[in-house]
């Protein structure tokens, strides 16, 4: 195979400059600043700051409230990722088999993707309204006094449902195209070997979808960790009270509402480390286990 | 084209308004309140030729404060910023970020006498020497609203004390109502609870003597007693709790489920505009006679005040002073009071409203002001605690947790005390 290359050593660097500049200004610089302020205790107006070493970090891990938030974030992420992936996979498998009106059916399923997070949050507040929300009334039929924004668990359930609902379309699109790229010959061969549809799915289709699934797993995890912010903020309306919040929301509450720059920076550094670990995990997994054909 | 238009505009403004000094005012007043703010600014601009003020809506109180701090760090701060009660300590603690309003007015030859301001408003935004740092702007106080039809139906009178409430609540429940709801736990049941009973809320004179060593005094028998009672009422359907959101609770009164609610004196305007299908009125925030042993004490203000930010030229500061003078004039204060329901901050404006017969037409509009002028005590002038926005979040969280039955009141108050004091300690470190 012929290898294309650049004659000059500097040309590729030059071509990369715009992209690098953007990353530098919008990621590395703020990240560096966050890392720096996480070791200081600073007054909000920037009149002075005291070096406190790891105090901001130690404080986090001593705080039962922070650990509680971290615990909730893990549970929330696992639930959102699991349900968003499994429901989307189910829908994709079914949609793949639809012959008539397939396009309409698929478009309807993808529609939710266009809903902005705050709008999704607002819709959640409407369907779960304490007094007249349709889902609240539905739950009441079973004797469940569902109280979003008041009861910790109920709010958590509403957040998970809304986040899953919002994420299904993306997963659906990826799974569907993944399914459609499985060679016809493989499916037909499987059909001859085994008549059980579920056995064929688990032994042939599912492993072949693994690259897509793994990619989506990472995407969904970061979605649940970070992109649900808008939705959560709309549900809590800037006033968490005794409601569950995720780690990224706590960064915002402590930093932007509470003006605690050092503590909030330490929290964002913890989150950065988490993302770094996730990325390393992703690359290693890709190298070893998952085979993209 | 664009450039041309710009040059033309510039030339035009330059020739007609050569000497005008422009100042900006960042605020967090949306909707109808924002319209009235714009009206005040327009009134000031028309009243004289030397200065122009531009009000800018910056979102919620928290967003306005965060924005102003970021702008200050970048050297782009507005001349005036509106800061809410819980954020006041942060701004006042940062000496050099603002010019005390009293100094600003005196330096610019505006007469200033703190006695002109109604008590309860006077010292909330002042330092420990009594110098006014922030200009009180939209001031309100927690009062109790009641559905007069519901009370009549149950054959009871509006309660003055929580003891009275305990007596009448079963009758209201019997008549099919939630007897009472609140709308803002920290403000109504914690901060003003301390003022209404003249109890210390923090060491160091409620924090006014400086951030160093200030500790919150929330873990008291009185607080434990009050919340134990509230929980007891809640369990017996004599009280309703619908979360920390203001609207979720207030809605219960508006739709006629709740017979009474504790809200803001500033709700008056909004309730009047809603044209509710029942008669309503308001009265003072209840208190425990068992704690005061007599009459209740005054409450202090909530809402927000205006701070003059430093780092501007003398001309601009003169403009800010002129605007404050305009803002505190009785006519403007009365207009603001009438349009929004916030209390007038000066005695002169209050007298003007009285003479105009405003309270004969709307008795409910006066309750907040009268409550701010009840007997005072050493603990009724306010509180000053840093990182208080976060402390409020902790109060909301722990008390809601207690009311939901997930913790005991002892643990809840102890947690607020521990976490609160840790934040206060950190704040003291930042303002050294």
């Amino acid at each position: 195979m012929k290898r294309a290359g650049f004659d000059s050593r500097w040309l590729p660097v030059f071509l990369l400059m715009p992209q690098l500049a953007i990353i530098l200004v919008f990621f590395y610089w703020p990240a560096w600043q966050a890392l720096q302020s996480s070791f200081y205790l600073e007054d909000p107006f920037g009149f002075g700051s005291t070096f406190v070493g790891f105090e901001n970090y130690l404080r986090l891990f001593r705080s039962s409230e922070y650990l509680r938030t971290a615990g909730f974030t893990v549970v929330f992420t696992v639930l959102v990722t699991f349900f968003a992936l499994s429901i989307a996979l189910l829908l994709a498998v079914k949609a793949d088999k639809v012959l008539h009106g397939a396009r309409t059916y698929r478009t309807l399923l993808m529609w939710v993707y266009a809903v902005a997070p705050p709008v999704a949050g607002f819709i959640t507040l409407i369907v779960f309204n304490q007094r007249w929300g349709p889902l609240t009334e539905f739950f009441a039929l079973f004797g469940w006094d569902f109280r979003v924004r008041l009861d910790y668990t109920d709010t958590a359930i509403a957040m998970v449902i809304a986040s899953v609902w919002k994420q299904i379309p993306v997963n659906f699109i990826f799974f569907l195209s993944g399914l459609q790229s499985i060679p016809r010959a493989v499916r037909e061969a499987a059909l001859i070997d085994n008549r059980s549809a579920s056995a064929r799915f688990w032994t042939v289709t599912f492993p072949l979808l693994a690259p897509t699934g793994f990619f989506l797993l990472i995407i969904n995890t970061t979605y649940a960790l970070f992109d649900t912010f808008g939705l959560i903020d709309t549900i809590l309306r800037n006033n968490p009270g005794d409601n569950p919040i995720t780690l990224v929301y706590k960064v915002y509450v402590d930093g932007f509402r509470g003006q605690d720059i050092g503590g909030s920076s330490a929290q964002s550094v913890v989150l950065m480390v988490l993302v770094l670990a996730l990325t390393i995990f992703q690359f290693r997994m890709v190298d070893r286990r998952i085979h993209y054909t | 084209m664009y450039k041309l238009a710009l040059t033309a505009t510039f030339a035009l403004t330059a020739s007609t308004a050569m000497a005008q000094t422009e100042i900006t005012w960042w605020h967090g007043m949306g909707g109808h309140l924002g319209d009235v703010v714009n009206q005040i600014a327009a009134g000031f601009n028309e009243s004289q030729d030397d200065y122009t003020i531009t009000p800018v809506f910056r979102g919620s109180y928290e967003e306005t404060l965060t924005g102003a701090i970021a702008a200050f760090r970048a050297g782009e701060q507005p001349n005036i910023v509106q800061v809410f009660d819980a954020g006041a300590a942060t701004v006042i603690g940062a000496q050099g970020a603002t010019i005390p309003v009293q100094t600003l007015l005196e330096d610019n030859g505006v007469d200033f006498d703190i006695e002109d301001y109604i008590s309860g408003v006077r010292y909330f935004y002042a330092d420990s020497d009594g110098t006014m740092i922030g200009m009180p702007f939209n001031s309100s106080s927690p009062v109790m609203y009641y559905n007069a039809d519901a009370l009549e139906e149950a054959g009871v009178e509006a309660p003055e004390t929580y003891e009275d409430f305990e007596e009448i609540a079963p009758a209201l429940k019997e008549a099919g109502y939630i007897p009472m709801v609140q709308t803002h736990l920290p403000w109504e049941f914690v901060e003003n609870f301390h003022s209404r009973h003249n109890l210390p809320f923090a060491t160091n004179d409620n924090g006014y003597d400086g951030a160093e060593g200030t500790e919150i005094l929330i873990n008291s028998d009185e607080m434990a007693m009050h919340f134990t009672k509230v929980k007891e009422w809640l369990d017996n359907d004599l009280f309703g709790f619908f979360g920390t959101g203001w609207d979720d609770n207030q809605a219960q009164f508006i739709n006629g489920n709740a017979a009474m609610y504790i809200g803001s004196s500033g709700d008056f305007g909004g309730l009047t505009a809603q044209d509710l299908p029942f008669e309503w009125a308001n009265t003072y925030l209840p208190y425990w006679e068992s704690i005061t042993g007599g009459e209740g004490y005054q409450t202090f203000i909530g809402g927000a005040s205006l701070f003059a930010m430093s780092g501007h030229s003398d001309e601009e500061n003169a403009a800010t002073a002129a605007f404050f003078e305009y803002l505190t004039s009785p006519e403007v204060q009365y207009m603001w009071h009438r349009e929004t329901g916030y209390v007038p901050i000066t005695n002169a404006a209050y007298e003007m409203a009285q003479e105009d017969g405003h309270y004969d037409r709307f008795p409910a509009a006066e309750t907040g002001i009268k409550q701010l002028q009840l007997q005072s005590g050493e603990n009724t002038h306010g509180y000053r605690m840093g990182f208080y926005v976060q402390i409020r979040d902790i109060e909301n969280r722990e008390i809601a947790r207690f009311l939901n039955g997930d913790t005991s009141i002892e643990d809840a108050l102890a947690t607020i005390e521990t976490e609160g004091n840790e934040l206060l300690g950190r704040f003291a470190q930042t303002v050294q």
Side-chain angles (χ1 to χ4, degrees):
Chain A
M1 210 177 8
K2 191 178 169 250
R3 241 188 118 191
F6 289 100
D7 293 338
S8 157
R9 176 184 277 271
W10 296 106
L11 184 62
V13 177
F14 176 74
L15 292 173
L16 279 172
M17 280 302 273
Q19 177 70 20
L20 286 177
I22 288 172
I23 297 178
L24 211 64
V25 171
F26 291 103
F27 181 70
Y28 286 109
W29 188 38
W32 169 249
Q33 291 245 311
L35 187 65
Q36 213 176 15
S37 17
S38 72
F39 293 106
Y40 285 87
L41 194 57
E42 192 178 354
D43 94 274
F45 285 87
F47 285 122
S49 54
T50 331
F51 181 78
V52 291
F54 282 94
E55 178 57 30
N56 287 330
Y57 292 93
L58 294 174
R59 230 183 110 243
L60 284 185
F61 297 109
R62 274 200 313 260
S63 153
S64 59
E65 194 47 39
Y66 186 76
L67 298 176
R68 196 166 109 115
T69 307
F72 172 74
T73 310
V74 170
V75 173
F76 176 79
T77 307
V78 169
L79 288 176
V80 169
T81 308
F82 176 76
F83 284 111
L85 285 177
S86 50
I87 296 173
L89 179 60
L90 181 72
L91 290 173
V93 168
K94 296 296 175 199
D96 194 34
K97 289 178 183 154
V98 173
L99 294 175
H100 297 288
R103 193 175 289 266
T104 321
Y105 185 49
R106 285 171 200 166
T107 310
L108 284 173
L109 277 171
M110 291 174 199
W111 221 345
V112 184
Y113 185 51
V115 177
V119 179
F122 195 65
I123 293 173
T124 315
L125 283 181
I126 290 173
V127 297
F128 288 111
N129 186 292
Q130 281 186 19
R131 284 172 293 127
W132 42 259
L135 278 179
T136 311
E137 284 173 1
F138 176 72
F139 289 139
L141 294 178
F142 305 96
W144 185 5
D145 186 15
F146 196 88
R147 292 281 184 84
V148 81
R149 282 160 57 72
L150 173 60
D151 186 275
Y152 187 90
T153 318
D154 292 352
T155 311
I157 291 170
M159 281 176 181
V160 170
I161 292 177
S163 308
V164 168
W165 171 69
K166 178 86 187 71
Q167 185 64 6
I168 285 175
V170 188
N171 297 346
F172 171 76
I173 296 167
F174 275 96
F175 274 133
L176 191 63
S177 62
L179 282 170
Q180 288 175 343
S181 65
I182 294 175
R184 209 174 171 75
V186 176
R187 295 199 200 193
E188 283 168 0
L191 194 61
I192 294 166
D193 287 344
N194 197 329
R195 287 191 56 225
S196 158
S198 73
R200 279 204 313 277
F201 175 79
W202 290 113
T203 53
V204 178
T205 316
F206 192 72
L208 284 171
L209 272 179
T212 313
F214 184 72
F215 165 75
L216 286 177
L217 180 71
I218 301 291
I219 294 291
N220 280 263
T221 311
T222 45
Y223 162 78
L225 280 173
F226 300 105
D227 295 350
T228 47
F229 177 88
L231 202 144
I232 293 173
D233 187 48
T234 318
I235 293 177
L236 300 181
R237 277 190 239 144
N238 220 345
N239 196 350
D242 175 31
N243 285 304
I245 56 172
T246 56
L247 287 175
V248 70
Y249 196 74
K250 194 164 166 58
V251 171
Y252 161 76
V253 167
D254 288 355
F256 287 84
R257 253 168 78 81
Q259 315 293 349
D260 178 7
I261 298 167
S264 171
S265 297
Q267 291 178 33
S268 43
V269 171
V270 170
L271 282 176
M272 274 194 274
V273 171
L274 197 70
V275 175
L276 199 67
L278 206 64
T279 316
I280 293 172
F281 168 74
Q282 181 187 10
F283 283 133
R284 290 183 73 105
M285 279 297 278
V286 168
D287 281 351
R288 286 187 189 166
R289 306 260 164 97
I290 309 286
H291 302 287
Y292 295 91
T293 43
Chain B
M1 186 60 215
Y2 173 69
K3 208 170 175 181
L4 194 74
L6 201 73
T7 324
T9 322
F10 183 73
L12 208 70
T13 26
S15 59
T16 55
M18 195 70 181
Q20 280 211 340
T21 308
E22 295 188 8
I23 56 171
T24 48
W25 170 17
W26 286 9
H27 64 84
M29 308 258 83
H32 172 64
L33 295 173
D35 295 340
V36 187
V37 162
N38 291 336
Q39 213 177 316
I40 292 177
F44 173 68
N45 292 339
E46 280 164 24
S47 72
Q48 41 71 45
D49 295 325
D50 297 334
Y51 315 116
T52 314
I53 191 164
T54 314
V56 185
F57 175 59
R58 299 287 302 187
S60 70
Y61 282 148
E62 287 91 350
E63 285 163 349
T64 307
L65 178 60
T66 306
I69 290 173
F72 184 84
R73 296 179 70 130
E76 302 279 332
Q77 68 272 30
N79 299 81
I80 303 172
V81 61
Q82 182 187 23
V83 179
F84 65 132
D85 50 1
T90 307
V91 179
I92 294 173
Q95 279 166 7
T98 60
I99 310 169
V101 63
Q102 188 166 342
T103 316
L104 179 83
L105 291 175
E106 284 166 357
D107 285 356
N108 286 285
V110 180
D111 285 337
F112 181 88
D113 183 359
I114 206 161
E115 299 293 321
D116 290 344
Y117 295 80
I118 66 173
S119 67
V121 168
R122 214 174 278 162
Y123 292 110
F124 192 86
Y125 298 106
D127 66 11
S128 53
D129 303 329
T131 305
M132 197 184 269
I133 311 286
M135 172 63 75
F137 176 54
N138 53 321
S139 306
S140 54
S141 204
V143 295
M144 191 183 70
Y145 290 84
Y146 58 90
N147 178 331
D149 293 352
L151 264 60
E152 197 182 338
E153 193 185 326
V156 296
E157 299 268 312
E160 261 179 58
T161 63
Y162 286 118
E163 282 91 352
D164 292 346
F165 170 74
E166 289 198 298
E167 278 183 29
I168 67 157
L172 287 166
K173 179 189 168 187
E174 200 71 14
Y177 293 95
I178 301 169
M180 189 193 277
V181 293
Q182 59 75 48
T183 45
H184 194 310
L185 284 171
W187 189 50
E188 293 155 9
F189 277 178
V190 178
E191 295 148 25
N192 276 289
F193 181 91
H194 286 86
S195 176
R196 195 86 173 96
H197 300 95
N198 192 24
L199 298 167
F201 185 30
T203 57
N204 280 350
D205 186 22
N206 281 357
Y208 278 86
D209 285 348
E212 188 70 47
T214 294
E215 297 200 330
I216 190 167
L217 296 172
I218 198 171
N219 195 0
S220 62
D221 293 344
E222 290 88 355
M223 278 275 86
M225 182 277 274
H226 181 66
F227 283 114
T228 307
K229 282 286 188 186
V230 172
K231 172 75 174 149
E232 203 180 290
W233 300 334
L234 187 64
D235 291 343
N236 293 311
D237 295 328
L238 301 175
F239 192 86
F241 178 62
F242 301 88
T244 38
W246 184 288
D247 298 343
D248 294 334
N249 289 286
Q250 194 195 21
Q252 300 290 334
F253 178 78
I254 290 172
N255 68 20
N257 284 352
M260 299 184 279
Y261 90 99
I262 297 175
S264 162
S265 57
D267 290 349
F268 159 78
L271 291 176
T272 310
Q274 295 218 26
D275 201 17
L276 299 175
F278 51 83
E279 287 293 313
W280 57 272
N282 62 12
T283 183
Y284 297 150
L285 177 72
Y287 61 95
W288 288 101
E289 208 174 352
S290 60
I291 298 178
T292 59
E295 294 286 302
Y297 291 80
Q298 63 174 212
T299 51
F300 46 73
I301 46 173
S305 65
L306 302 182
F307 285 85
M309 298 198 83
S310 61
H312 294 287
S313 67
D314 289 347
E315 291 81 47
E316 290 188 17
N317 289 340
T320 305
F323 174 69
F324 281 158
E325 188 182 12
Y326 176 81
L327 181 69
T328 47
S329 67
E331 293 78 17
V332 176
Q333 279 299 313
Y334 177 36
M335 184 276 270
W336 174 244
H337 173 48
R338 210 176 45 219
E339 292 293 322
T340 63
Y342 285 116
V343 303
I345 56 168
T346 60
N347 291 317
Y350 179 39
E351 281 157 22
M352 182 179 267
Q354 283 172 320
E355 279 162 23
D356 193 47
H358 184 54
Y359 307 123
D360 300 330
R361 291 189 293 273
F362 307 104
E366 198 179 9
T367 310
I369 313 157
K370 288 193 345 209
Q371 183 173 287
L372 286 169
Q373 302 184 93
L374 294 175
Q375 63 168 329
S376 60
E378 60 271 34
N379 300 308
T380 60
H381 56 310
Y383 63 91
R384 174 90 19 97
M385 284 183 257
F387 287 148
Y388 193 70
V389 181
Q390 278 168 294
I391 299 179
R392 251 189 191 171
D393 284 345
I394 299 168
E395 289 168 2
N396 261 325
R397 189 188 74 215
E398 290 302 318
I399 296 168
R401 204 174 272 175
F402 166 66
L403 293 178
N404 286 335
D406 297 332
T407 184
S408 69
I409 190 61
E410 288 77 19
D411 287 350
L413 293 176
T415 307
I416 301 171
E417 187 181 39
T418 317
E419 290 188 26
N421 284 341
E422 197 189 332
L423 284 166
L424 289 170
R426 274 167 68 75
F427 183 76
Q429 257 181 294
T430 68
V431 296
Q432 269 169 6

